[in-house]
Amino acid sequence: MFDNLASATPQIRAGKLKAFAVTTAKRSSFFPELPTVAESGLKGFDISTWFGVFAPAGTPKPIVDRLNAEFTRALSAPDIRERLARMGAEASPMSPEDFAAFVRAEQAKYERVVKASGARVE
């Protein structure tokens, strides 16, 4: 099965699951012994789990910037970083502009995947 490290890490560490690879482009700092799927033979494979905070379209930039600053501050707190690390997760705060570019790139990537798969909504 495919699962994200945040939910699988406790089971892996308890010996209840055996992990074979990570789906990201780089090896995980939490499980550096695990190869990537790309290293295992499926070149170009790069799938990651991510979370983000969105605001309604038209939210004034000063409010977006303030929200971003507060989330970045919270995600930089040692206790939050430690809690995330115990789950096998790592915070990667971005500027609102960088996050928007990241989301556009993810949308384009998955658009190609859906088209290649032939999947359709009926």
Side-chain angles (χ1 to χ4, degrees):
M1 78 174 188
F2 283 87
D3 198 1
N4 62 62
L5 282 180
S7 62
T9 291
Q11 302 300 320
I12 295 168
R13 289 191 175 142
K16 295 180 179 181
L17 285 178
K18 173 138 176 72
F20 295 105
V22 294
T23 61
T24 51
K26 296 184 331 185
R27 288 186 181 214
S28 167
S29 61
F30 301 109
F31 296 99
E33 71 281 5
L34 290 176
T36 66
V37 171
E39 289 174 324
S40 300
L42 191 54
K43 300 295 180 211
F45 196 94
D46 180 15
I47 304 291
S48 62
T49 300
W50 57 269
F51 300 90
V53 177
F54 294 83
T59 301
K61 184 166 177 22
I63 293 173
V64 170
D65 290 342
R66 171 73 189 272
L67 287 169
N68 180 259
E70 294 299 328
F71 279 109
T72 298
R73 185 176 61 76
L75 290 170
S76 298
D79 60 324
I80 298 298
R81 293 184 85 72
E82 181 183 319
R83 179 181 280 174
L84 290 170
R86 282 195 310 265
M87 296 187 304
E90 186 175 10
S92 299
M94 299 177 190
S95 70
E97 297 77 19
D98 288 344
F99 183 59
F102 172 78
V103 169
R104 284 191 300 274
E106 288 287 279
Q107 287 173 323
K109 175 172 64 176
Y110 288 109
E111 180 180 336
R112 288 189 305 274
V113 169
V114 170
K115 285 182 179 176
S117 76
R120 293 192 324 241
V121 175
E122 295 182 21

